Amino acid sequence: MKRSVEEFVVNAYFGLPEEVVFCKKCVISNQRPSSTVEFKHTNKDKKATIGFGVDGICDACRYAETKDAQIDWQAREDALVRLLDQHRRSDGGYDIIVPGSGGKDSAYTSHILKYKYGMNPLTVTWAPHKYTEIGWKNFENWIHKGGLDNILFTPNGKLHRYLTKMAFLNLLHPFQPFIVGQRIIGPLMAKKFGIKLVMYGENQAEYGNKTEENYKPTMDKNFFSISDPADMVLGGVKVGDIIKEGEYSLNDFAPYIPPAAEDLERDGIEVHYLGYYLKWDPQECYYYAVEHTGFQANTERTEGTYSKYSSIDDRIDMFHYFTTLIKFGIGRATYDAAQEIRNDKITREEGVALVHKYDQEFPKKYFEEFLDYIDITEAQFLETVDKFRSPHLWDKQDSNWILKHQVT
């Protein structure tokens, strides 16, 4: 019997497809959102999800095959050298901005640009919510052992905590304000220092976000199109509405307001991805960072996955992935395993086993610190989490929540 649109809206939140399908090559499902930072429980807010072809292979896996078979990487590197030559300086000034935390990806990006391609990068860091011990150690190694200049930018801590709290309560996305800052810190610093080239590492399209973006070397300028900063939404709340409460002014939000696309164009600022020019492999970035910048993996695996070296600088990071598990049925082990399957580091069978073992693990280590950081109780945390469990993904049996669909 054909089902009505209303039934689908009730059973599947966030505009997700109600039928859960897993990629036949990796372990990702069609529940992975592709390009949004805000979700609501209404049909009109439906967002696109990761694409699957008739062969049951996800877009990210198809692009991984393209990387191996169809891209002339020597030609791409030649294009990189031409781009760098256009911006290269010999007067002692910085000629490129590299945003990053000192993790494996930004360590690779900044170091190779300086020491292989002869650029003079200024690295810029949007500070984590709360550094981990290993994260701070790797940050210091990046600068001191890697031999790089850096500006560590920390936004208004009181405001950032508030925005993180609102993002958790309203969107179940505690990383939303952080992601905004992380994406715009490069262009903002380029404007401030009069530098024309910004180079991020990999494009998130590598993993399924708008895969057509993989075929463009530059960041989508739509991200920098905000007509009125007061209408910008942070933490699920308009900036103007937060200002009306009286505690903050528009000036307090300066670090979160992206430069206008037309201003970047007028100033000749270009925002590129190194992953367009050099074949991107996260594990190879890790090996490079270990050798050249003193990067160290953690002594223990990250809760929710099997990895010890990816996204290990922020104590809040694992709650970001826990919330993706709740909203989309996709936890951190799924993301890590899917990526490593595509890069031929593990088999799909190994990936499936790792997902089953770790994906639903609750992040206990920093739980009390997370509650304190966003100033909520454990009861508020659980109530908020349960509110965002989509009925097409979760079933409550007695007092336990059961994920209905798991990769096989």
Side-chain angles (χ1 to χ4, degrees), residues 336-403:
D336 289 346
Q339 184 185 89
E340 293 199 340
I341 292 168
R342 293 178 198 127
N343 290 318
D344 296 321
K345 306 302 182 186
I346 62 175
T347 66
R348 188 178 190 277
E349 291 71 25
E350 290 171 325
V352 169
L354 290 166
V355 169
H356 287 184
K357 185 171 184 178
Y358 296 116
D359 218 37
Q360 297 184 57
E361 180 181 32
F362 184 80
K364 297 181 293 185
K365 183 175 182 179
Y366 298 121
F367 183 46
E368 293 299 325
E369 287 189 56
F370 178 65
L371 296 180
D372 178 68
Y373 184 83
I374 62 173
D375 191 26
I376 65 171
T377 65
E378 182 174 349
Q380 286 176 294
F381 175 90
L382 296 173
E383 180 183 2
T384 303
V385 165
D386 290 348
K387 183 175 67 174
F388 283 86
R389 294 182 190 268
S390 182
H392 80 299
L393 294 176
W394 294 95
D395 183 37
K396 194 169 189 180
Q397 298 178 8
D398 298 325
S399 59
N400 298 315
W401 286 101
I402 306 298
L403 189 61

Side-chain angles (χ1 to χ4, degrees), residues 222-261:
N222 287 333
F223 189 82
F224 304 104
S225 298
I226 295 178
S227 57
D228 185 349
D231 290 332
M232 185 178 181
V233 177
L234 289 169
V237 186
K238 283 188 176 183
V239 167
D241 291 336
I242 298 175
I243 293 171
K244 289 177 183 176
E245 295 175 1
E247 191 164 359
Y248 301 102
S249 70
L250 185 60
N251 290 343
D252 291 314
F253 291 88
Y256 304 91
I257 300 171

Side-chain angles (χ1 to χ4, degrees), residues 195-387:
I195 300 169
K196 305 295 185 182
L197 183 60
V198 180
M199 189 72 73
Y200 283 83
E202 81 275 41
N203 189 336
Q204 287 299 305
E206 288 257 352
Y207 314 122
N209 290 11
K210 292 185 177 179
T211 52
E212 65 271 17
E213 295 296 320
N214 283 309
Y215 300 96
K216 298 193 301 182
T218 56
M219 184 181 288
D220 185 356
K221 289 185 178 179
N222 287 333
F223 189 82
F224 304 104
S225 298
I226 295 178
S227 57
D228 185 349
D231 290 332
M232 185 178 181
V233 177
L234 289 169
V237 186
K238 283 188 176 183
V239 167
D241 291 336
I242 298 175
I243 293 171
K244 289 177 183 176
E245 295 175 1
E247 191 164 359
Y248 301 102
S249 70
L250 185 60
N251 290 343
D252 291 314
F253 291 88
Y256 304 91
I257 300 171
E262 54 269 26
D263 290 343
L264 295 178
E265 187 169 349
R266 182 197 65 224
D267 295 339
I269 297 172
E270 303 177 34
V271 185
H272 288 248
Y273 292 108
L274 188 63
Y276 173 84
Y277 300 100
L278 304 179
K279 187 178 178 182
W280 199 262
D281 186 323
Q283 196 163 359
E284 296 304 317
C285 291
Y286 164 65
Y287 295 141
Y288 183 98
V290 169
E291 179 179 357
H292 296 285
T293 72
F295 180 83
Q296 296 180 23
N298 208 346
T299 55
E300 58 188 13
R301 65 174 181 82
T302 302
E303 291 171 309
T305 191
Y306 56 92
S307 171
K308 294 182 179 181
Y309 63 78
S310 181
S311 297
I312 56 174
D313 61 333
D314 195 332
R315 297 177 187 226
I316 309 299
D317 192 80
M318 54 284 298
F319 294 98
H320 165 57
Y321 285 98
F322 177 73
T323 58
T324 67
L325 171 70
I326 299 301
K327 291 185 293 186
F328 315 124
I330 300 173
R332 184 162 183 170
T334 294
Y335 285 104
D336 289 346
Q339 184 185 89
E340 293 199 340
I341 292 168
R342 293 178 198 127
N343 290 318
D344 296 321
K345 306 302 182 186
I346 62 175
T347 66
R348 188 178 190 277
E349 291 71 25
E350 290 171 325
V352 169
L354 290 166
V355 169
H356 287 184
K357 185 171 184 178
Y358 296 116
D359 218 37
Q360 297 184 57
E361 180 181 32
F362 184 80
K364 297 181 293 185
K365 183 175 182 179
Y366 298 121
F367 183 46
E368 293 299 325
E369 287 189 56
F370 178 65
L371 296 180
D372 178 68
Y373 184 83
I374 62 173
D375 191 26
I376 65 171
T377 65
E378 182 174 349
Q380 286 176 294
F381 175 90
L382 296 173
E383 180 183 2
T384 303
V385 165
D386 290 348
K387 183 175 67 174

Side-chain angles (χ1 to χ4, degrees), residues 26-130:
C26 72
V27 291
I28 206 72
S29 80
N30 64 339
Q31 304 298 297
R32 182 187 188 279
S34 63
S35 60
T36 185
V37 294
E38 181 172 1
F39 301 90
K40 297 180 183 178
H41 297 209
T42 61
N43 193 43
K44 68 180 181 179
D45 293 298
K46 188 176 283 190
K47 306 292 184 183
T49 52
I50 189 170
F52 279 71
V54 293
D55 57 357
I57 305 298
C58 74
D59 288 345
C61 282
R62 282 200 292 270
Y63 178 68
E65 294 172 353
T66 298
K67 283 169 61 176
D68 290 332
Q70 299 180 26
I71 294 177
D72 184 341
W73 289 106
Q74 184 57 58
R76 290 278 185 95
E77 185 179 11
D78 292 343
L80 172 65
V81 172
R82 290 193 298 272
L83 172 69
L84 297 179
D85 284 344
Q86 292 172 16
H87 295 273
R88 195 182 309 279
R89 296 175 61 171
S90 58
D91 61 355
Y94 298 114
D95 45 31
I96 189 169
I97 291 278
V98 179
S101 65
K104 59 181 176 53
D105 298 322
S106 54
Y108 167 79
T109 299
S110 54
H111 191 277
I112 202 168
L113 285 171
K114 178 167 184 170
Y115 292 101
K116 180 177 180 178
Y117 295 103
M119 300 299 284
N120 186 23
L122 173 62
T123 66
V124 296
T125 301
W126 179 274
H129 300 84
K130 297 191 71 173

